[in-house]
Amino acid sequence: MIATTLGPLKLDTCIYNASGPRTGSTDALAKISASSAGAVLAKSATVLEQNGNDLPRTWQSDKVASLNSEGLPNKGIDYYLSAEAIASANGKPYLVSLSGHNLADNLAMLTKACKVDGIHGIELNLACPNVIGHPIIAYDFDQLRDVLTAVQAHEGLKASKKLFGIKMPPYFDGPHFEKSAQIINDFDCVHFVASINTIGNALVIDSEAEMPAIRPKNGLGGLSGPAVKYTALANVKKMRELLHPRIAVVGVGGIESGEDVFNMLLCGAQAVQIGTCHWIEGPKCFDRIAVELQEIMQRKGYTSIEQFRGKLQNWSKEGAAKSRAARKAVEAPKAASSTATESQNNLILIIVSLIAIIAGLLGERFMLTA
Ligand code: RRO
């Protein structure tokens, strides 16, 4: 019911993990594969293992947002290409994420990844906001074109026919959506675009201590979680409108419920990734969210995601009226049950008062007789 495809890959569910939290070790990857996740995506890798930025480098607020300046802690590309890492995906599509310090590093990692059979897909991260001294690649359109030109010319990728996609930062302005999509459309090597990475360079302040909540980059880090959901939806919608139909859009950013996935799919996502919610709740979030999505689909009479994917309607008076009527239908029984409870309470109050009056009268009479 919620299966999807991503290029040649078949995913049993359209929901899987984002690269980032709980993806750095084979243990963590095995836990994802044991859940309802439709694929397994590893932590962004560099050529060599590295520890990342100084601690504390993450902050979380319940249900609102999270901030990180991890600085790419990872075990190095060879670890994520190892037989042990592949085995941890337990037969599910296994993707690696590349985030080298420069183009040469990315191409070297690409060469390695293309040679390994158990790697089903490669996501090139063009949007990490946290590497000190390195601006976000995909905000520099010349660099974006240069990187994709080099990837397109990569013989290993061509020969391997592996699924290849790019992880994008959020854009906030019409011309930026258009420019980046226009560049990406020029490159056949791109099979999917994952939008969005965290919103770069946000700041959380600890008011008690009058200082930033995290240490690296003077407190600046990538913002994620529910607060970025609406920016993510807009990016998925715009990318779907502007990219060539052969390029799939993978929605990521703030998803924490089946309804959030449903909305991403309406905007045209082929699949979705979950980062912050996975970080907070653990891999059982994939099971919960898959069930919630199926419940919504059942209620609406959908039996596959293709029936509504990309079919977000324009705003209309008829739509608003339908939505009001649906809300009323949900609220009416609630209101009726609260009126019933109120009447019941009033009745109890009357009975208790009557008992008190009768007891008082009886008491008076008893005292008089005595
Ligand atoms: O490791 C990180 O600091 C990190 C990465 Br690579 C990324 O792509 N996005 C993010 O918010 N953090």
Side-chain angles (χ1 to χ4, degrees):
M1 187 183 200
I2 60 170
T4 195
T5 54
L6 210 46
L9 304 181
K10 286 192 179 7
L11 277 56
D12 287 344
T13 73
C14 60
I15 303 164
Y16 64 107
N17 68 287
S19 176
R22 297 181 187 264
T23 54
S25 70
T26 54
D27 275 359
L29 297 175
K31 285 179 189 155
I32 296 169
S33 69
S35 77
S36 307
V40 179
L41 171 59
K43 170 72 186 165
S44 285
T46 48
V47 171
L48 300 174
E49 179 170 8
Q50 61 179 43
N51 293 329
N53 295 340
D54 290 341
L55 301 175
R57 58 193 185 192
T58 62
W59 170 92
Q60 284 179 353
S61 126
D62 244 20
K63 294 277 161 209
V64 180
S66 299
L67 188 81
N68 87 86
S69 183
E70 299 254 64
L72 263 165
N74 77 95
K75 295 182 189 296
I77 188 63
D78 290 343
Y79 178 89
Y80 301 104
L81 298 179
S82 68
E84 196 190 343
I86 292 166
S88 70
N90 207 14
K92 287 192 175 176
Y94 174 54
L95 292 87
V96 289
S97 166
L98 312 180
S99 195
H101 292 297
N102 50 49
L103 181 55
D105 280 6
N106 279 328
L107 294 175
M109 289 192 284
L110 189 59
T111 302
K112 284 187 170 193
C114 287
K115 286 182 184 155
V116 180
D117 275 346
I119 305 300
H120 301 106
I122 299 160
E123 184 177 279
L124 179 62
N125 185 358
L126 300 178
C128 178
N130 298 332
V131 180
I132 294 163
H134 286 265
I136 294 169
I137 294 174
Y139 283 155
D140 173 346
F141 292 125
D142 292 336
Q143 204 185 347
L144 175 61
R145 184 172 284 284
D146 289 348
V147 170
L148 293 179
T149 303
V151 171
Q152 177 101 338
H154 191 276
E155 291 300 335
L157 181 62
K158 248 181 264 171
S160 78
K161 298 198 166 60
K162 284 193 198 296
L163 180 77
F164 175 82
I166 50 180
K167 177 86 172 269
M168 300 299 283
Y171 294 105
F172 303 94
D173 199 14
H176 294 168
F177 287 123
E178 279 159 24
K179 186 74 196 167
S180 75
Q182 195 184 34
I183 293 169
I184 296 165
N185 279 338
D186 284 344
F187 296 94
D188 293 341
C189 61
V190 180
H191 303 134
F192 72 87
V193 163
S195 278
I196 58 171
N197 205 312
T198 52
I199 298 183
N201 300 306
L203 177 64
V204 174
I205 290 174
D206 174 339
S207 313
E208 198 51 46
E210 302 181 13
M211 66 179 195
I214 62 171
R215 187 171 179 176
K217 287 186 71 179
N218 291 325
L220 299 192
L223 189 72
S224 62
V228 314
K229 181 158 65 191
Y230 309 98
T231 299
L233 281 170
N235 273 260
V236 168
K237 182 172 185 293
K238 287 304 293 177
M239 282 297 176
R240 184 59 287 153
E241 282 167 13
L242 294 166
L243 287 173
H244 193 283
R246 73 178 152 73
I247 303 173
V249 178
V250 176
V252 47
I255 295 171
E256 54 172 356
S257 68
E259 187 180 359
D260 294 339
V261 180
F262 184 72
N263 290 344
M264 282 284 188
L265 297 170
L266 279 176
C267 288
Q270 187 82 15
V272 301
Q273 298 177 352
I274 300 183
T276 300
C277 183
H278 175 213
W279 185 13
I280 294 171
E281 193 176 324
K284 67 178 186 304
C285 75
F286 301 111
D287 306 331
R288 175 182 61 76
I289 292 171
V291 169
E292 288 174 5
L293 175 62
Q294 289 173 79
E295 282 169 357
I296 293 172
M297 288 171 61
Q298 263 153 14
R299 181 163 55 76
K300 287 176 169 270
Y302 293 126
T303 52
S304 79
I305 64 170
E306 278 72 37
Q307 291 167 346
F308 60 92
R309 183 157 44 75
K311 296 193 177 150
L312 184 71
Q313 309 284 312
N314 288 333
W315 191 92
S316 69
K317 282 187 178 167
E318 297 72 34
K322 188 177 165 194
S323 180
R324 265 198 310 277
R327 271 202 306 273
K328 231 175 167 179
V330 171
E331 279 156 18
K334 274 194 216 153
S337 100
S338 88
T339 318
T341 318
E342 214 174 287
S343 320
Q344 234 170 17
N345 287 346
N346 286 344
L347 193 64
I348 292 169
L349 203 67
I350 292 168
I351 293 169
V352 169
S353 311
L354 279 174
I355 292 172
I357 293 167
I358 291 167
L361 287 173
L362 284 176
E364 240 172 65
R365 186 151 175 210
F366 178 73
M367 288 217 310
L368 282 177
T369 345

